[in-house]
Amino acid sequence: MRRSREILTRWIAVGVALCATACASAQPAPSVALTERRAAVARFSFATDTFAFPNMIRARTPLREDLYANYCFVLARGLRQFFAFARFDPAAPRLSSEAYAERVRAVAARPPWQAAPADDRVVIPGYANLREFSRAEEAAVKAGLGGRLWTLVHWTNWRVTLPLPPGHQVGVAREVMDELDAGRLVQLLVTNWPTPELNHTVVTYAYRAGPAGVEFVVWDPNDPDHAGLLSFDTGDHHFHATRLYDTEPGVIRAFRMAYAWWM
């Protein structure tokens, strides 16, 4: 009985926090214009620190039974985890595919919101970087990253159905910039709900001034070879899908993901 009450209390706390995150008024916009700032996460390289294979879109290839589809959240989370918790040693002897899958599981088991350790990283021997590793050991990497079910039913997805107060997206834009300034990759849930086109996640690693405000440069799991752009318009205070794979340009909403155990 006590255990049931503890579980119920925890879920109530999560629900309250979730609603507060999605619906509460954002803090006032900073006095310094957003476009006066720019940053990129140090040591992160799009060419080497990203997965070589894509998350597939099921609607584009519906007849393939082995389709690696609906794994965008797994890949975006995994990208952050490898950047924070893995170390590559190209001079070390290579392992079997099963052993590599175990190393990937060890990386994926670490919460992405934790601080990156300086001396306690999972060693990936035989490869120089994530791009090279995931190209050569694609099956092992996919097996080690695990399933997608929890990402599809996670409570944070509910936020896309809730109304947003004025200023909310300004707050998100500022938080993303602050995180990038601090050298941390940021995973974003992006959506144009209720339009059934974009319910997706990307990882932003840099920002710069754009024509109407700020351009966030992103790695898109659906398009692993080309950087995408997510823009924030400082005039209308909305995010825009400027260049996201298979997405019509236009107004969208963005939410931070996986920055605490309950988010």
Side-chain angles (χ1 to χ4, degrees):
M1 185 66 176
R2 177 180 298 177
R3 176 62 176 166
S4 298
R5 286 198 299 268
E6 291 175 352
I7 294 174
L8 178 60
T9 300
R10 183 168 181 172
W11 276 99
I12 290 173
V14 167
V16 170
L18 177 61
C19 290
T21 301
C23 297
S25 297
Q27 295 295 319
S31 58
V32 178
L34 294 175
T35 52
E36 294 178 12
R37 299 166 55 186
R38 60 178 59 233
V41 174
R43 304 187 320 280
F44 180 82
S45 168
F46 186 98
T48 60
D49 296 327
T50 57
F51 293 106
F53 56 84
N55 172 71
M56 305 298 290
I57 300 176
R58 190 172 301 279
R60 298 291 176 264
T61 50
L63 300 181
R64 282 187 54 179
E65 295 183 359
D66 61 340
L67 199 66
Y68 193 75
N70 305 118
Y71 280 88
C72 59
F73 291 92
V74 174
L75 287 175
R77 181 193 65 204
L79 184 74
R80 293 176 59 202
Q81 290 166 317
F82 264 94
F83 185 67
F85 307 125
R87 178 173 65 83
F88 290 88
D89 185 356
R94 292 186 176 180
L95 307 176
S96 66
S97 292
E98 293 77 11
Y100 276 129
E102 285 301 316
R103 298 289 176 103
V104 176
R105 289 188 188 98
V107 175
R110 301 195 181 187
W113 54 84
Q114 288 187 348
D119 56 357
D120 183 27
R121 293 174 178 251
V122 178
V123 178
I124 309 295
Y127 293 97
N129 52 61
L130 180 58
R131 175 70 65 152
E132 180 182 299
F133 174 53
S134 60
R135 180 182 292 115
E137 294 287 346
E138 180 176 339
V141 172
K142 289 177 177 178
L145 287 175
R148 64 194 174 187
L149 177 62
W150 181 238
T151 67
L152 299 177
V153 301
H154 201 274
W155 58 71
T156 54
N157 298 340
W158 302 345
R159 292 177 289 179
V160 304
T161 66
L162 301 175
L164 298 180
H168 179 275
Q169 295 288 270
V170 175
V172 172
R174 183 186 53 211
E175 290 174 3
V176 173
M177 295 167 73
D178 288 344
E179 287 294 295
L180 296 175
D181 287 342
R184 293 185 286 268
L185 300 175
V186 181
Q187 183 179 350
L188 292 174
L189 168 63
V190 289
T191 180
N192 58 0
W193 178 267
T195 302
E197 179 197 29
L198 181 69
N199 290 287
H200 186 43
T201 188
V202 296
V203 177
T204 180
Y205 60 91
Y207 69 86
R208 64 199 183 204
V214 184
E215 290 182 340
F216 293 97
V217 189
V218 303
W219 180 78
D220 187 335
N222 293 353
D223 187 21
D225 294 326
H226 304 93
L229 284 180
L230 180 70
S231 300
F232 182 78
D233 192 315
T234 53
D236 65 17
H237 291 177
H238 286 114
F239 283 93
H240 293 255
T242 304
R243 189 171 72 241
L244 295 182
Y245 184 75
D246 201 38
T247 298
E248 290 293 329
V251 173
I252 61 174
R253 288 175 293 159
F255 304 85
R256 286 182 61 198
M257 291 196 68
Y259 59 92
W261 71 264
W262 51 276
M263 294 301 290

